[in-house]
């Protein structure tokens, strides 16, 4: 492996490790309703499960879905942490990551004493440790193949754009990432899907934005297919196939998101988006450009902001930014935050690619578009206008600037 490839792999594994830690903290403290009342914490401590793998309240072995969820939360920490230290040439070991996973687990269970809707227990901490241990063991066995795949995802600008666009559709489709393996919750979501698979009574809103993201993702997949044909690289056909079936895979994945259930309407829109983008890249290349993507994303954001298209003036406007998060965090508020940051990060990448505007102008454009949408929502009684979405748009623009600059560096540093 060349020094450039080794450095790229090190950065990817390090970033993935910190993302895994953030996902662990997110998953174990959601929905962040902390109450530091002494009596409540004392009561939570009294009801904590201290017998490993045994549910005292129900007189049975601990819930398998809960144990599996904690194993899955801990495994990426061990996997990417092991790869990071291995690449950095530091002291490493599989058992060490079991201890690190246990430390993370004990921290999470201690924090859950202040979360009224969570129950602390030693079993969850031990499962976190076993997950990190299993992740490190998998990294020791399969790490080389995974590093090659990650490096291939960023070996040129097109691959990097496809990877990042894929990350955007995953985040928006599965937001707010309140993953559950609880059988009763999954069953409720499945029954909700069967009761109204096409969501006939709900207005279309954010689904159009997600569909436009899938169109951009499909267009990049089409460009990758063209390159694979020219270079006769059969290995990249799998990436193209995965991009085209991703709407179906993600819609199935929504069955394990606690705050919403799958929808045939969303699936149809996302398949249409991915298919139209793919077709444009192959047969209508003038439409597969950053300018067209920018126009489609901007229009879908405006339409989603005006949904359900029932207009009447209202005086309600929340001037305090981010009040939804430090007063009462809900799954809906977290969804809006993730959705806004991802959507406006993509908006910023597109506007800088299409118009070559400087960083401050891109942030101003994102804030202006978000502000215009919030001003429009002052005439939509069913929407709640405020400054929070403008702030999240600015945060998304900052992230988009960072991504765009990294892509530009990749283009300049590409070997001639």
């Amino acid at each position: 492996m060349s020094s450039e490839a080794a450095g790229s792999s090190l950065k990817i594994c390090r970033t993935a490790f910190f993302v895994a830690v953030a996902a662990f903290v997110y998953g174990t403290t959601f929905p962040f309703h902390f109450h530091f009342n002494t009596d409540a914490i004392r009561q939570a401590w009294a009801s904590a499960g201290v017998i490993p793998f045994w549910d005292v309240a129900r007189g049975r072995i601990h819930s398998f879905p809960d144990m599996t969820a904690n194993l899955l939360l801990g495994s990426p920490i061990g996997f990417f942490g092991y790869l990071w230290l291995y690449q950095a040439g530091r002291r490493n070991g599989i058992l060490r990551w079991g201890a690190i996973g246990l430390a993370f687990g004990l921290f999470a269970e201690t924090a859950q004493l202040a979360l009224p809707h969570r129950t602390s227990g030693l079993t969850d901490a031990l499962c976190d440790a076993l997950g990190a241990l299993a992740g490190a063991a998998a990294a020791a066995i399969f790490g080389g193949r995974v590093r090659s795949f990650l490096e291939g995802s960023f070996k040129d600008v097109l691959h990097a754009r496809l990877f990042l666009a894929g990350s955007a559709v995953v985040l928006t489709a599965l937001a707010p990432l309140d993953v559950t393996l609880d059988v009763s919750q999954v069953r409720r979501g499945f029954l909700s899907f069967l009761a109204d698979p096409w969501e006939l009574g709900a207005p279309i809103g954010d689904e159009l934005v997600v569909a436009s993201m899938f169109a951009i993702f499909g267009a990049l997949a089409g460009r990758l297919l063209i390159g694979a044909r020219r270079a006769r690289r059969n290995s990249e056909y799998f990436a193209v196939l995965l991009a085209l079936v991703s709407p179906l895979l993600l819609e199935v994945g929504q069955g394990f998101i606690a705050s919403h259930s799958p929808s045939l309407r969303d699936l149809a829109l996302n398949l249409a988006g991915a298919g139209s983008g793919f077709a444009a890249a192959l047969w209508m290349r003038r439409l597969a450009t950053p300018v067209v993507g920018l126009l489609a994303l901007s229009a879908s954001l405006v339409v989603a902001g005006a949904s359900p298209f029932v207009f009447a003036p209202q005086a309600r406007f929340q001037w305090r930014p981010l009040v939804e998060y430090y007063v009462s965090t809900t799954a809906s508020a977290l969804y809006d935050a993730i959705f806004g940051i991802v959507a406006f990060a993509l908006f910023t990448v597109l506007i800088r690619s299409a118009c070559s505007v400087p960083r401050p102008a891109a942030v101003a454009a994102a804030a202006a578009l978000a502000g215009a949408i919030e001003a429009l929502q002052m005439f939509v009684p069913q929407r709640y206008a405020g400054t929070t979405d403008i702030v999240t748009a600015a945060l998304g623009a900052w992230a988009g600037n960072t991504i765009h600059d990294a892509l530009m560096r990749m283009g300049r540093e590409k070997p001639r």
Side-chain angles (χ1 to χ4, degrees):
M1 180 186 298
S2 66
S3 59
E4 293 83 1
S8 173
S9 178
L10 174 63
K11 291 178 182 178
I12 293 171
C13 293
R14 180 178 60 198
T15 302
F17 170 74
F18 286 114
V19 169
V21 171
F24 178 86
V25 174
Y26 186 101
T28 54
T29 57
F30 181 90
F32 320 119
H33 292 163
F34 290 97
H35 295 285
F36 297 101
N37 179 277
T38 305
D39 293 335
I41 293 176
R42 188 181 295 114
Q43 184 178 358
W45 173 255
S47 60
V50 295
I51 301 177
F53 307 109
W54 185 258
D55 189 337
V56 176
R58 292 186 291 179
R60 46 163 289 183
I61 195 170
H62 199 76
S63 167
F64 279 107
D66 285 348
M67 290 191 289
T68 303
N70 282 278
L71 284 168
L72 294 176
L73 272 176
S75 57
I77 293 176
F79 187 88
F80 290 109
Y82 181 94
L83 289 182
W84 174 27
L85 294 188
Y86 178 82
Q87 287 289 101
R90 300 179 184 176
R91 186 179 177 184
N92 209 0
I94 295 175
L95 294 178
R96 179 185 204 178
W97 286 101
I100 292 174
L102 180 61
F104 274 108
L106 292 174
F107 167 79
E109 297 309 307
T110 303
Q112 287 180 2
L113 292 173
L115 291 167
H117 301 294
R118 305 296 292 263
T119 302
S120 300
L122 184 60
T123 299
D124 291 346
L126 292 174
C127 288
D128 294 330
L130 291 174
L133 186 68
I141 299 171
F142 305 107
R145 296 179 183 178
V146 173
R147 288 198 308 273
S148 298
F149 170 78
L150 292 174
E151 290 161 12
S153 299
F154 289 91
K155 64 184 178 182
D156 57 38
V157 175
L158 179 56
H159 281 80
R161 285 174 175 168
L162 183 67
F163 184 87
L164 293 169
S167 300
V169 297
V170 169
L171 285 173
T172 51
L174 301 183
L177 306 177
D178 50 339
V179 179
T180 180
L181 293 177
D182 183 84
V183 176
S184 61
Q185 285 188 321
V186 174
R187 182 174 179 272
R188 280 198 298 270
F190 180 71
L191 292 176
S192 176
F193 166 75
L194 292 179
D196 188 14
W198 291 99
E199 293 184 296
L200 297 178
I204 293 179
D206 293 342
E207 300 92 333
L208 293 177
V209 182
V210 179
S212 67
M213 292 183 180
F214 271 103
I216 295 168
F217 187 41
L220 291 169
R223 290 186 57 190
L224 181 65
L225 178 61
I226 294 172
R229 285 177 177 176
R230 290 174 179 172
R232 298 182 180 179
R233 293 193 299 264
N234 294 328
S235 60
E236 295 184 344
Y237 284 91
F238 175 74
V240 175
L241 177 63
L242 183 62
L244 292 177
V245 301
S246 59
L248 177 60
L249 297 177
L250 290 173
E251 209 60 38
V252 173
Q254 285 186 355
F256 300 94
I257 302 298
S259 57
H260 58 254
S261 58
S263 164
L264 289 181
R265 184 180 71 179
D266 294 353
L267 176 60
L269 287 171
N270 294 338
L271 284 172
S276 61
F278 185 75
L282 293 181
W283 299 297
M284 297 172 287
R285 296 183 188 178
R286 291 183 178 180
L287 296 179
T289 62
V291 174
V292 175
L294 175 65
L295 293 174
L297 180 63
S298 302
S300 62
L301 283 168
V302 173
V303 172
S307 179
F309 316 111
V310 177
F311 300 99
Q314 58 173 334
R316 183 177 60 184
F317 189 89
Q318 179 55 258
W319 289 99
R320 288 186 296 167
L322 306 177
V323 65
E324 295 89 341
Y325 308 110
Y326 57 77
V327 172
S328 179
T329 305
T330 63
S332 177
L334 289 169
Y335 170 83
D336 288 342
I338 294 172
F339 185 87
I341 290 173
V342 173
F344 280 96
L346 182 58
F347 170 86
T348 304
V349 172
L350 290 171
I351 196 172
R352 291 197 64 192
S353 300
C355 308
S356 300
V357 299
R359 290 171 63 96
V363 175
L369 177 59
I373 293 172
E374 295 305 303
L376 175 63
Q377 288 180 351
M378 293 184 66
F379 298 90
V380 184
Q382 296 187 37
R383 305 303 295 263
Y384 194 81
T387 56
T388 295
D389 289 346
I390 301 175
V391 173
T392 56
L395 291 173
W398 174 82
N401 276 325
T402 303
I403 293 170
H404 179 268
D405 291 345
L407 293 173
M408 292 298 292
R409 285 195 298 271
M410 285 184 63
R412 288 193 298 266
E413 296 169 1
K414 183 177 179 180
R416 298 185 184 276

